[in-house]
Amino acid sequence: MKKDVGSSKRKMTKKIEELARTYFPEAVSLRRLLHEKPELGWCEYVATSVVAAQLKALGYQVQTGPSVCKADARMGVPSEAILEREWLRARSEGIPERELEPMRGGFTGLIAVLHQGPGPVAALRLDLDALPLTEKTGLPFASSHPGVMHACGHDGHTAMGVGIARIMKAMGDQWQGTLKLIFQPAEEGVRGGRAVAEAGHVDDVDFLLGAHIFGRSRPEGDCDLVPGASGSFATTKLDAEFTGRAAHAGSFPEKGLSVMPAMAAAVTALYGIPRHSKGATRINVGRMEAGGGRNVVADHGILELEIRGAGTEINSYMEEQARRILLGAAKMHGVSCRIQTAGGAPSVVSSLSLCERIRTLCLEQFPQIRPTSYLQGPSEGSEDFSWLMERVKARGGQAAFPLLLTDTAAPGHTPEFDFPETVLHTGMTVLSGVLFDILKK
């Protein structure tokens, strides 16, 4: 009996490998299309429309528009003028207005569902957005949108997601349950994950997967996969808007209230926040802008900053200290300060049992995909997939965030970043394999 089960399992995994090879050219084509037309968070109109059309053609139930994200849980949403400008650009690039209309106002992203009778619910999350960088890769399909590029692999993630949708649809008679594909907007700046989670899309999910293309480093050697990332920095992004009172800087400066000294005091104190005994912390003021001219007492300014901590508790400590400093500096200099949360996410913590399942599947069924010897690896930076993970785990489910290791042309978030497209095949194979293993009859 064991021999028959093993033989049947190998037959299915070989079928997955064959389908991944079959759909690989289509994944490459989609990746290049998305790379050429990158879009920032909450403006992924082209990406959402293209993916939605392909998944509808496959027979998936597709949701777009306001139901994808809880509106008041969205963070760091651009101005109405920017959202409208990007919507109009998508229309000018050939996306039908009837498809774009539900997304107007920054309601991008989509949920695609395939029901195959009773059984577990397995979900896969992919991210859609690009970065505000000017591309310097020299690729023939380089960005055609000035100042925006895919420099973190999200174009690859999205293309893999559609490829996986094709594989799972083709094998639909061999599994049962529900497959849910979540194409999330605004991952950069950790702005979109919470809104998807609070919309309830993972409340029925038993197993949740994400994935990220990740540059190889020496600890992994020549491995292709970390079964699950854990221990990423929790983070909060803050915008602090200072308001004072303008005055002529020469004639009656005493009648003004300048935001400049308040902001300078705040920045100095922010970098002096005591470190935490339980783990690493980070703080960075990335933008400081104030005033309008040398002879006017500056009455308005903004600080854009981020804080991070090795775990949600440490990040909360950093945020509390940062808010205290910002408000205190404003009060000390007689101006006001309004603080808005522009993004944030708890730490990524993958479920060990699901990581073990992923690693075992590779060793037994996909020997060409070499997993690391350890189940969980450190995740650099921050990742708002954690909102979805925590929601699933709180309801008794399991979640994992595998890292797809590959050699990259340059580090992520740089203008020269690119990855070998063979990693799309790896991702399509292993993620389809895990989803099938969960849902197989």
Side-chain angles (χ1 to χ4, degrees):
M1 182 66 179
K2 285 185 178 180
K3 184 176 180 181
D4 291 341
V5 170
S7 175
S8 175
K9 199 170 184 179
R10 282 191 294 275
K11 183 178 179 181
M12 289 300 102
T13 53
K14 285 183 178 179
K15 180 65 173 177
I16 290 170
E17 292 171 350
E18 291 172 5
L19 290 169
R21 284 192 295 271
T22 299
Y23 297 132
F24 175 67
E26 293 174 88
V28 169
S29 178
L30 178 57
R31 181 259 165 155
R32 295 183 179 186
L33 169 65
L34 297 173
H35 192 92
E36 188 176 353
K37 298 185 181 298
E39 298 161 300
L40 298 177
W42 304 119
C43 298
E44 307 96 326
Y45 299 113
V46 171
T48 300
S49 299
V50 169
V51 171
Q54 294 194 14
L55 295 183
K56 286 177 183 176
L58 289 170
Y60 283 76
Q61 299 174 15
V62 176
Q63 292 181 54
T64 60
S67 65
V68 174
C69 292
K70 186 178 179 182
D72 60 3
R74 297 180 301 164
M75 294 186 282
V77 181
S79 68
E80 290 184 9
I82 291 174
L83 293 171
E84 184 67 8
R85 182 193 71 198
E86 296 303 301
W87 188 91
L88 290 170
R89 178 165 67 179
R91 189 178 67 177
S92 73
E93 291 180 339
I95 304 299
E97 186 166 340
R98 66 180 181 278
E99 296 178 12
L100 286 170
E101 189 59 39
M103 294 180 266
R104 204 164 198 163
F107 290 96
T108 49
L110 68 124
I111 311 294
V113 179
L114 188 62
H115 296 290
Q116 295 286 115
V121 179
L124 173 66
R125 177 274 213 167
L126 304 312
D127 36 22
L128 293 166
D129 58 328
L131 285 158
L133 288 170
T134 298
E135 184 164 354
K136 298 180 181 177
T137 61
L139 293 169
F141 50 90
S143 171
S144 63
H145 293 172
V148 185
M149 77 167 285
H150 274 291
C152 197
H154 295 190
D155 50 340
H157 303 164
T158 300
M160 281 190 293
V162 176
I164 291 162
R166 295 183 187 280
I167 292 170
M168 296 300 290
K169 176 65 175 180
M171 299 187 68
D173 60 342
Q174 301 295 318
W175 60 269
Q176 63 184 39
T178 300
L179 173 64
K180 187 174 292 191
L181 301 172
I182 301 167
F183 290 84
Q184 181 205 305
E187 189 285 321
E188 299 295 354
V190 289
R191 297 175 290 151
R194 187 182 76 173
V196 174
E198 292 192 13
H201 294 298
V202 296
D203 289 356
D204 61 345
V205 171
D206 302 299
F207 298 90
L208 175 68
L209 294 172
H212 206 294
I213 294 169
F214 205 75
R216 280 197 181 97
S217 59
R218 295 286 67 80
E220 291 88 22
D222 293 328
C223 293
D224 305 303
L225 181 81
V226 178
S230 278
S232 70
F233 281 117
T235 186
T236 306
K237 320 296 184 184
L238 299 176
D239 291 345
E241 184 179 11
F242 289 77
T243 303
R245 185 169 63 239
H248 193 290
S251 299
F252 39 86
E254 74 283 359
K255 294 185 178 180
L257 291 172
S258 177
V259 300
M260 289 289 190
M263 293 171 69
V267 171
T268 301
L270 286 167
Y271 282 103
I273 294 175
R275 304 304 92 166
H276 201 288
S277 62
K278 293 184 179 180
T281 59
R282 300 283 192 276
I283 187 159
N284 185 61
V285 179
R287 177 175 170 239
M288 178 178 180
E289 186 176 316
R294 69 181 74 248
N295 62 345
V296 180
V297 174
D299 66 340
H300 183 266
I302 188 163
L303 292 179
E304 294 182 358
L305 61 141
E306 67 168 25
I307 52 183
R308 302 180 196 247
T312 302
E313 176 188 353
I314 299 173
N315 184 70
S316 296
Y317 157 79
M318 292 294 290
E319 181 178 351
E320 180 183 343
Q321 296 297 310
R323 288 179 178 272
R324 177 182 60 81
I325 287 168
L326 291 165
L327 295 174
K331 186 175 182 179
M332 182 170 63
H333 290 277
V335 301
S336 65
C337 178
R338 184 171 68 99
I339 304 171
Q340 288 187 303
T341 302
S347 182
V348 167
V349 181
S350 293
S351 303
L352 272 171
S353 56
L354 187 52
C355 294
E356 176 64 46
R357 187 172 191 166
I358 294 168
R359 185 172 185 273
T360 300
L361 185 73
C362 288
L363 292 173
E364 294 181 355
Q365 302 297 324
F366 300 118
Q368 76 279 16
I369 299 174
R370 301 157 297 178
T372 53
S373 58
Y374 49 88
L375 293 177
Q376 296 181 324
S379 175
E380 298 174 4
S382 304
E383 166 61 62
D384 73 352
F385 179 60
S386 55
W387 288 109
L388 302 168
M389 298 178 87
E390 292 305 308
R391 189 104 171 183
V392 168
K393 291 191 294 180
R395 288 162 170 74
Q398 300 177 33
F401 190 59
L403 304 178
L404 301 165
L405 305 177
T406 188
D407 297 315
T408 57
H413 291 222
T414 64
E416 298 81 14
F417 176 81
D418 187 31
F419 58 84
E421 290 171 332
T422 51
V423 74
L424 305 181
H425 182 271
T426 301
M428 288 163 61
T429 301
V430 70
L431 294 172
S432 296
V434 176
L435 291 168
F436 182 80
D437 190 60
I438 292 167
L439 296 170
K440 65 181 181 294
K441 289 184 177 178

